[in-house]
Amino acid sequence: MVDLTRRKLISSSVAAALGASVVGTASGEEVAESDTPGAPSVRGSLKRFSTTAFGAEVTGPFVFADGSLLYSLQHPSAENGDPFDRAAVGYFSGFNFEFDGSNDDFDEVSFPETRAEQGDVRSDSGDYEILFYGREPIGDSSSLLGVTQTPDGRNIVQRGSLPEPEREERPYFAGSQYGLSGSNPDCNQFVPTDEAGTEGYLFTNWENSPGCISRVPLGRDDDGEWSADLSEAMNVTNTAAFRDIGGTRINCYGDLSPWETMISAEENYAHPRVNLTHTVSDIVAADSGAGLVGGCQFWNRPNPTEIADAIGAYAEDGALESPFSPQGYWALSGVEFLAYYLGAEPRDQAEDSAENVTQPICDTYPNPYRYGYFVDVREPAAETPEPIKYWVMGRAAWEAPDIQKDKRTVYGCSDGDSKGIYKFVADRPIPSYQDTDDIAGTLYAPKITNDAANAEEVGERNSPANTPLEVEWIELGHATNGEVESWIAEYDDVTQTDYLEAHADIDWSENLDAAVREADLEIIENGNQNYITNEEIVEWAEQYEQNGPDGVDEELRKVPFLETRAAAKEIGASIEFNKAEGVDSADDAGPGDFVYFGISEFNDDLANETGDVQMDRVDGGVVYRAELESDYNVSTLEPVITGPDFTDSPEDANDALRNIDNVYAMRDGRVLCCEDGFGGPARSYPNDCLYVYEPDYLEERPGSSDESPNSSGESPSNSGESSGNSDDNPGRGPQCQTEEVESDDDSDE
């Protein structure tokens, strides 16, 4: 078992920090991609259901009760032409999945060869029909689908990214925005309002900053065709209830909770405190954050996305030894627009031109600790839904949550480089709390413990296609939702003025440029004093090591909930996953069933010479499955789909799953696998695809749909079947449900 103490980690990471001159430099050289055994491979089978339009990702799949399939067309290329030149959500007319155990309910579509095919949404088992486009007028004429507004009703749209025809006809703001408003539809979750599941509301995430969640009424007619009613649609984030919790940002994937509400995940890429594998202790030991400090430290800087250019200038004039890019700084785009959403005066908008000028926002500014959470849209059918954020579940760049049938256990994936997968366990079922402030539970971070995953331990690199990951969960802390929110509220009044006044002696009102420069350099050296300090994080970790998670001072209990990634790294958790982009389990999954985790790229800190995982590199990524134990814990991640090496030929890569994004486990055990690769090496075509994965245990089962899943109650480990993971002896799990079964938990994902 790997040493869990932090001193070994700190001693090695400090040495790495002192030897690093630019961000991304690790203690060992980057491992080149080679011909990795088992890349690509599948333990089971893959069938390509659809190829999406050029430029678009496949996001937000949802399967209705009748087997209809829907997904989002996220940021397609305008070169495609009508109808697939704009962001949209659509379904496959004339097609329904059949959950009878036959697994032959659709024909595989070929990959697109001509430019016309590449510009189309293609399937051989139904026609993709648009339900609605982003930025369509909804309700009254001032509201646009997927677009957030200021409190006085002005649409928050960045001029520079608007298509040319819209630039003169729509109001706009100058400055940076995370994606064009209304162009990035992602997660879709349908909440039915009738027993048949033919009427209800579709909740859609719009992956922008400020973030947006829309609610659109959908209905199915007698011919099985779906339609949307935009006259009754709304952007639920443009309500006082959402502004009261700070709004949202970068709403990515999500989940349908067991209590039938939309759970939206905030993919707050701007949360990194430190770069890649480095720790806050590295900064303290080096007496400087140069090359180490992450993007979150510049959250309240005037024009925060300009920090990388500023650092380059400071290196040129000798104030810094060398330039570097703070991890996640680019996701600070849209933070100032988020201030306008909350009601700030846009002082940085030039009166006589379409320019974003450097003037600090002094009145209202978003609190960074209010973003990077799971958002539960309660009362989904009410005139004004009620949102709550699960502050107690930790702060990250959440791609997706997966809430288990016990209504207590939640798994989450944090997207980006050197990130984590996390677990939260509530003290009792979440909907049982009458006051959501009282929701209490424990937050955990992962530790990969098996020697086979670590080249340093075994002397050679193993292939991720053939090597499971053994996980122990390290407790970070226990709290209530209300406690965490009260800690967050301590930072509600911090503005861009505080950035300057706390870190610069120069009077910013007399020489703003000089004050910004002085503040930047001070923060690079000693951290942003407006928020949790470096010293607090290190002190929390030292007390944690001495006394355990329950033995830290009261004022330090906030650290692992508000600075989750930094805290986990300080105590030696395995925060080295690269683009953990999907997690899901089937409807009504219980002990003996599987949770699927999608890792979009198996490279960087999973394949270099640092950390607990040091295996062969596979740029095409890996999909893992983990068997739910009796207490809904998972302890082994078994690879079941391995993507291609990007050195592979199209012959090997054209039909392989590449760069997994969303995973969606259907009720018969099959899994929808969405791609986010767009072009790149290996393939002969640039489009992303939607695949249907049929696990190996489904392929081997008798064809009868009457056979009950896991009827003996035995798991593979006690039923006499091997759970080994070699190519000759793939791991197996129990049969999954092949017919709909009513449950006391009312799960309906």
Side-chain angles (χ1 to χ4, degrees):
M1 182 168 133
V2 178
D3 181 10
L4 294 179
T5 64
R6 59 186 290 271
R7 287 195 176 91
K8 178 180 179 182
L9 177 78
I10 290 174
S11 63
S12 61
S13 59
V14 168
L18 294 176
S21 60
V22 294
V23 62
T25 302
S27 59
E29 294 182 0
E30 183 180 10
V31 174
E33 189 172 57
S34 59
D35 188 15
T36 302
S41 62
V42 181
R43 295 173 187 252
S45 65
L46 278 175
K47 286 178 67 177
R48 186 172 42 244
F49 179 87
S50 172
T51 64
T52 196
F54 177 74
E57 302 173 30
V58 179
T59 59
F62 186 85
V63 178
F64 294 90
D66 67 349
S68 300
L69 171 65
L70 168 152
Y71 73 62
S72 295
L73 186 65
Q74 187 179 83
H75 57 65
S77 171
E79 298 175 4
N80 295 331
D82 188 66
F84 302 131
D85 56 346
R86 292 175 287 160
V89 174
Y91 77 105
F92 288 89
S93 173
F95 171 77
N96 302 83
F97 281 113
E98 299 173 1
F99 303 111
D100 59 2
S102 63
N103 297 312
D104 58 358
D105 45 8
F106 69 94
D107 296 322
E108 183 169 47
V109 67
S110 62
F111 57 79
E113 299 186 85
T114 67
R115 182 61 185 89
E117 288 180 337
Q118 292 170 2
D120 195 3
V121 177
R122 302 169 59 249
S123 171
D124 279 354
S125 301
D127 297 319
Y128 188 78
E129 297 289 341
I130 301 295
L131 288 167
F132 50 79
Y133 290 99
R135 299 199 305 277
E136 282 193 85
I138 58 173
D140 60 76
S141 60
S142 67
S143 296
L144 304 175
L145 190 67
V147 178
T148 47
Q149 295 179 321
T150 61
D152 61 0
R154 184 177 178 184
N155 291 315
I156 301 175
V157 178
Q158 181 193 34
R159 173 184 168 86
S161 60
L162 275 174
E164 197 67 43
E166 295 187 44
R167 292 189 182 183
E168 298 306 321
E169 66 185 53
R170 297 200 191 283
Y172 60 84
F173 286 96
S176 67
Q177 184 171 26
Y178 187 100
L180 170 62
S181 290
S183 68
N184 296 334
D186 201 301
C187 180
N188 297 287
Q189 300 293 345
F190 180 71
V191 178
T193 54
D194 66 347
E195 291 186 4
T198 59
E199 302 284 340
Y201 291 108
L202 185 70
F203 288 82
T204 301
N205 279 343
W206 299 84
E207 194 175 340
N208 301 106
S209 180
C212 189
I213 305 170
S214 64
R215 185 183 75 176
V216 178
L218 292 189
R220 193 194 71 185
D221 63 22
D222 292 340
D223 295 325
E225 302 299 328
W226 292 88
S227 61
D229 181 4
L230 293 187
S231 68
E232 297 296 325
M234 69 180 297
N235 297 316
V236 298
T237 39
N238 288 337
T239 61
F242 268 87
R243 286 192 177 88
D244 286 345
I245 61 171
T248 66
R249 75 183 312 255
I250 316 181
N251 300 83
C252 194
Y253 198 50
D255 196 13
L256 189 66
S257 72
W259 45 95
E260 293 195 329
T261 60
M262 159 70 146
I263 309 293
S264 175
E266 293 184 298
E267 194 175 42
N268 181 21
Y269 280 116
H271 80 281
R273 181 83 183 212
V274 285
N275 288 329
L276 304 178
T277 56
H278 301 301
T279 67
V280 175
S281 293
D282 297 343
I283 295 175
V284 172
D287 290 325
S288 174
L292 309 176
V293 65
C296 79
Q297 294 286 269
F298 307 97
W299 175 274
N300 61 328
R301 180 190 193 271
N303 292 358
T305 55
E306 295 177 4
I307 184 59
D309 290 339
I311 288 172
Y314 304 151
E316 285 184 8
D317 67 23
L320 292 174
E321 183 177 340
S322 59
F324 68 95
S325 295
Q327 185 178 0
Y329 84 90
W330 52 272
L332 294 169
S333 56
V335 172
E336 291 178 322
F337 283 15
L338 188 55
Y340 312 152
Y341 163 83
L342 295 174
E345 178 187 354
R347 300 177 71 249
D348 59 349
Q349 303 290 299
E351 294 183 4
D352 56 352
S353 67
E355 291 185 5
N356 176 226
V357 297
T358 304
Q359 280 295 322
I361 298 173
C362 305
D363 51 352
T364 300
Y365 200 72
N367 177 347
Y369 294 130
R370 289 197 175 274
Y371 309 98
Y373 299 95
F374 300 134
V375 188
D376 191 347
V377 185
R378 298 282 183 102
E379 304 297 331
E383 181 178 354
T384 303
E386 281 295 320
I388 67 164
K389 288 194 180 184
Y390 291 120
W391 320 105
V392 72
M393 294 184 188
R395 175 171 167 262
W398 294 120
E399 171 82 24
D402 184 30
I403 302 176
Q404 299 304 310
K405 179 183 174 181
D406 66 352
K407 303 180 184 179
R408 297 177 55 218
T409 306
V410 183
Y411 292 98
C413 287
S414 183
D415 195 0
D417 214 335
S418 307
K419 300 290 180 62
I421 57 175
Y422 297 94
K423 181 176 76 167
F424 173 80
V425 181
D427 292 352
R428 64 175 198 257
I430 291 170
S432 72
Y433 291 90
Q434 290 187 344
D435 187 340
T436 55
D437 280 352
D438 295 333
I439 296 170
T442 304
L443 179 63
Y444 297 88
K447 184 70 175 179
I448 306 302
T449 60
N450 54 316
D451 289 347
N454 193 312
E456 183 178 350
E457 302 294 335
V458 299
E460 61 182 15
R461 291 181 177 275
N462 287 325
S463 167
N466 305 323
T467 310
L469 301 178
E470 300 297 334
V471 184
E472 289 187 6
W473 295 98
I474 304 174
E475 179 179 345
L476 294 178
H478 180 279
T480 69
N481 213 46
E483 282 182 308
V484 181
E485 199 278 337
S486 70
W487 299 329
I488 291 169
E490 296 173 12
Y491 305 93
D492 276 347
D493 297 327
V494 177
T495 68
Q496 290 185 333
T497 306
D498 294 293
Y499 183 94
L500 302 170
E501 294 182 348
H503 305 102
D505 293 329
I506 297 171
D507 187 339
W508 65 267
S509 64
E510 296 182 1
N511 191 335
L512 181 58
D513 290 342
V516 170
R517 182 183 189 277
E518 183 182 2
D520 288 347
L521 292 171
E522 170 62 21
I523 286 173
I524 290 169
E525 184 171 358
N526 295 311
N528 191 326
Q529 302 302 304
N530 296 145
Y531 303 113
I532 292 175
T533 65
N534 293 336
E535 291 73 20
E536 286 178 293
I537 294 173
V538 171
E539 177 63 22
W540 170 82
E542 290 176 350
Q543 291 188 18
Y544 178 104
E545 184 180 81
Q546 294 169 3
N547 307 317
D550 297 328
V552 301
D553 293 342
E554 181 65 25
E555 63 268 22
L556 295 176
R557 289 180 57 224
K558 63 186 176 185
V559 168
F561 296 96
L562 276 61
E563 294 281 0
T564 304
R565 177 175 180 259
K569 287 156 70 75
E570 283 296 313
I571 61 171
S574 303
I575 308 301
E576 53 194 286
F577 289 91
N578 192 16
K579 297 186 70 59
E581 295 222 36
V583 55
D584 197 32
S585 52
D587 288 358
D588 214 28
D593 295 320
F594 292 117
V595 180
Y596 289 86
F597 294 86
I599 309 301
S600 188
E601 300 175 13
F602 201 97
N603 50 25
D604 294 352
D605 288 328
L606 292 170
N608 62 19
E609 296 178 6
T610 63
D612 300 322
V613 183
Q614 300 177 25
M615 285 197 278
D616 284 339
R617 172 177 169 176
V618 179
D619 285 349
V622 178
V623 178
Y624 291 94
R625 70 182 173 202
E627 185 179 340
L628 287 167
E629 298 164 6
S630 60
D631 58 356
Y632 290 86
N633 182 54
V634 298
S635 57
T636 301
L637 305 184
E638 174 195 3
V640 291
I641 307 175
T642 304
D645 292 318
F646 278 4
T647 55
D648 286 340
S649 67
E651 182 180 6
D652 292 325
N654 275 348
D655 293 308
L657 179 68
R658 179 194 59 180
N659 301 119
I660 185 70
D661 195 330
N662 304 155
V663 293
Y664 184 100
M666 296 195 292
R667 58 181 176 264
D668 64 352
R670 290 180 294 174
V671 181
L672 300 180
C673 297
C674 304
E675 290 186 323
D676 175 14
F678 180 52
R683 280 186 179 168
S684 64
Y685 59 94
N687 303 70
D688 285 333
C689 305
L690 175 71
Y691 283 92
V692 178
Y693 168 60
E694 181 181 345
D696 45 3
Y697 66 84
L698 290 181
E699 285 188 324
E700 297 167 6
R701 69 183 175 183
S704 172
S705 62
D706 296 326
E707 188 170 341
S708 175
N710 200 23
S711 57
S712 68
E714 294 182 336
S715 67
S717 60
N718 62 19
S719 64
E721 294 181 353
S722 171
S723 58
N725 297 95
S726 70
D727 285 332
D728 295 329
N729 188 21
R732 296 184 60 196
Q735 303 283 21
C736 286
Q737 191 71 44
T738 56
E739 295 181 347
E740 293 187 69
V741 177
E742 292 187 1
S743 162
D744 292 336
D745 291 277
D746 297 323
S747 177
D748 184 28
E749 185 175 355

